[in-house]
């Protein structure tokens, strides 16, 4: 199906997406015959100054800004945007991502399939940034050839194209109000429905990274989400697979004990200026297993 009518959808929360929106509009304007709209939906941001900065997208032709009074969560805000969209193809971008490919929009329009995931890349960062170190280590796994080996597990909602018909028929699970894993369950849902995911090389980029304390906090929140939905996410999480394969209860008890004794010291290290990825992995394992106490 030719993709000549596109809704570009950006959910945002305490983030300024005006540069991203401007670049996407510039690229969309350059595609001959393309009808498009761009909608930014603010999910109840607490930073009012940020909301007003994002509101500037309304000055762009064909753009709309919606400020919601309260936070409805990562899944619900994307479903909301899909309902607001008027065109048959939906392009979702997270507000903190950047576009470095000058043909990013056109590449998606030339793709095939009802769900297309473009991946992400990692820009330059500092060794003092835990998020940068983590994303850089994981970057090879997000190349198209790696993603295609497990297409439903390697899907993220930060950068994807989907037909409006598929999105409205199979919306994201709105029980996922907090950070993490709504996209993982969505991948599982698509597989169960026999809907394929096409993986292409059209990344959005991480060019800025939150501070270490915020990233550790988001990681903890994501692990709590994983624990809450652990039964539904079996086979779709490395953490679940790894912990389920620890068959000796004494080993799990020792890991929990280690976490109780050293979690404060590990967290201080991770939130400081010299974070360590090995400590990060150990901290995540201990944190998750301790949720079962």
């Amino acid at each position: 199906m030719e993709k000549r009518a596109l809704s570009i959808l950006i959910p945002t929360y305490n983030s300024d997406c005006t540069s991203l929106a401007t670049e996407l509009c510039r690229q969309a304007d350059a595609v001959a015959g393309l009808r498009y709209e761009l909608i930014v939906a603010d999910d109840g941001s607490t930073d009012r100054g940020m909301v007003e900065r994002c509101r500037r997208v309304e000055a762009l032709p064909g753009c709309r800004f919606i400020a919601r009074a309260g936070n409805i969560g990562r899944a619900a805000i994307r479903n909301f945007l899909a309902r607001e969209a008027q065109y048959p193809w939906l392009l979702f971008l997270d507000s903190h991502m950047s576009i470095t490919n000058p043909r990013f929009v056109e590449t998606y329009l030339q793709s095939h399939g009802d769900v297309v995931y473009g991946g992400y890349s990692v820009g330059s960062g500092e060794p003092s940034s835990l998020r940068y170190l983590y994303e850089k280590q994981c970057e090879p796994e997000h190349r198209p050839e790696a993603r295609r080996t497990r297409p439903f597990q390697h899907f993220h909602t930060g950068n994807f194209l989907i037909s409006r018909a598929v999105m409205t028929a199979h919306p994201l699970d709105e029980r996922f109000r907090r950070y993490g894993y709504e996209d993982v369950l969505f991948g599982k849902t698509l597989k169960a429905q026999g809907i394929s995911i096409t993986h292409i090389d059209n990344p959005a980029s991480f060019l800025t990274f939150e501070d270490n304390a915020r990233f550790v906090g988001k990681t903890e929140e994501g692990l709590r989400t994983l624990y809450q939905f652990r039964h539904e996410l079996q086979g779709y999480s490395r953490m679940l697979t790894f912990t389920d394969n620890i068959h000796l209860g004494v080993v799990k008890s020792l890991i929990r004990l280690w976490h109780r004794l050293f979690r404060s010291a590990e967290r201080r290290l991770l939130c400081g200026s010299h974070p360590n990825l090995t400590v990060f992995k150990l901290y995540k394992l201990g944190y998750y297993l301790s949720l079962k106490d």
Side-chain angles (χ1 to χ4, degrees):
M1 182 185 298
E2 189 175 15
K3 302 175 177 67
R4 286 297 171 187
L6 179 69
S7 295
I8 303 171
L9 308 174
I10 305 176
T12 187
Y13 179 76
N14 288 337
S15 179
D16 183 357
C17 62
T18 52
S19 294
L20 172 64
T22 301
E23 174 60 17
L24 289 167
C25 287
R26 186 195 67 77
Q27 291 195 21
D29 284 334
V31 179
L34 176 66
R35 291 176 295 136
Y36 80 92
E37 63 178 347
L38 187 146
I39 309 173
V40 174
D42 180 86
D43 193 18
S45 289
T46 57
D47 186 335
R48 304 314 300 171
M50 195 71 75
V51 174
E52 293 310 310
R53 286 195 288 276
C54 282
R55 195 181 296 276
R56 292 178 298 183
V57 302
E58 292 181 317
L60 299 169
C63 295
R64 185 155 54 108
F65 178 80
I66 304 171
R68 295 191 60 94
N71 183 273
I72 59 175
R74 293 169 57 84
I77 193 65
R78 287 167 174 80
N79 293 340
F80 169 77
L81 278 163
R83 292 192 298 270
E84 288 289 318
Q86 64 173 309
Y87 291 128
W89 291 98
L90 314 178
L91 175 57
F92 281 91
L93 271 299
D94 277 358
S95 60
H96 64 277
M97 304 301 282
S98 299
I99 302 303
T100 56
N101 176 5
R103 298 181 63 250
F104 178 83
V105 171
E106 187 177 356
T107 299
Y108 265 127
L109 295 174
Q110 293 174 351
S111 66
H112 301 281
D114 285 334
V115 184
V116 186
Y117 175 50
Y120 69 82
S121 60
V122 184
S124 59
E126 299 296 329
S128 59
S129 169
L130 178 61
R131 181 67 183 267
Y132 167 71
L133 295 175
Y134 174 77
E135 297 294 354
K136 202 65 180 175
Q137 184 182 70
C138 295
E139 191 173 28
E141 302 173 11
H142 299 289
R143 293 170 183 157
E145 57 273 17
R147 287 186 267 122
R148 290 172 188 140
T149 62
R150 302 182 74 200
F152 297 98
Q153 286 85 347
H154 288 292
F155 172 81
H156 300 281
T157 54
N159 170 30
F160 74 106
L161 179 78
I162 188 169
S163 75
R164 189 176 186 275
V166 169
M167 186 71 183
T168 53
H170 308 287
L172 291 162
D173 191 324
E174 296 190 6
R175 293 175 299 160
F176 287 74
R177 289 186 54 85
R178 302 187 184 278
Y179 180 75
Y181 294 96
E182 78 287 342
D183 44 8
V184 179
L185 188 60
F186 188 63
K188 182 179 179 180
T189 299
L190 293 177
K191 183 178 182 180
Q193 296 298 322
I195 300 168
S196 63
I197 300 176
T198 302
H199 287 266
I200 66 172
D201 185 17
N202 194 30
S205 299
F206 279 104
L207 298 182
T208 59
F209 307 91
E210 66 264 68
D211 64 61
N212 294 347
R214 177 167 172 75
F215 180 55
V216 172
K218 286 172 63 175
T219 300
E220 293 168 342
E221 185 176 11
L223 290 170
R224 293 193 296 272
T225 301
L226 176 62
Y227 182 73
Q228 180 182 357
F229 295 99
R230 62 194 182 280
H231 300 301
E232 294 164 83
L233 295 170
Q234 289 291 336
Y236 282 74
S237 161
R238 290 182 179 178
M239 179 65 76
L240 291 178
T241 301
F242 184 81
T243 56
D244 287 346
N245 285 332
I246 302 175
H247 299 298
L248 295 177
V250 66
V251 175
K252 292 183 179 180
S253 295
L254 287 172
I255 295 172
R256 293 188 187 104
L257 175 61
W258 175 276
H259 188 71
R260 282 197 296 271
L261 293 173
F262 298 106
R263 62 185 175 188
S264 296
E266 288 176 338
R267 206 178 194 283
R268 281 196 301 272
L269 174 66
L270 295 173
C271 294
S273 58
H274 297 89
N276 181 281
L277 287 178
T278 300
V279 174
F280 185 50
K281 291 177 183 178
L282 183 60
Y283 182 82
K284 290 197 298 180
L285 178 59
Y287 189 94
Y288 180 76
L289 286 176
S290 296
L291 294 173
K292 298 184 178 184
D293 285 351

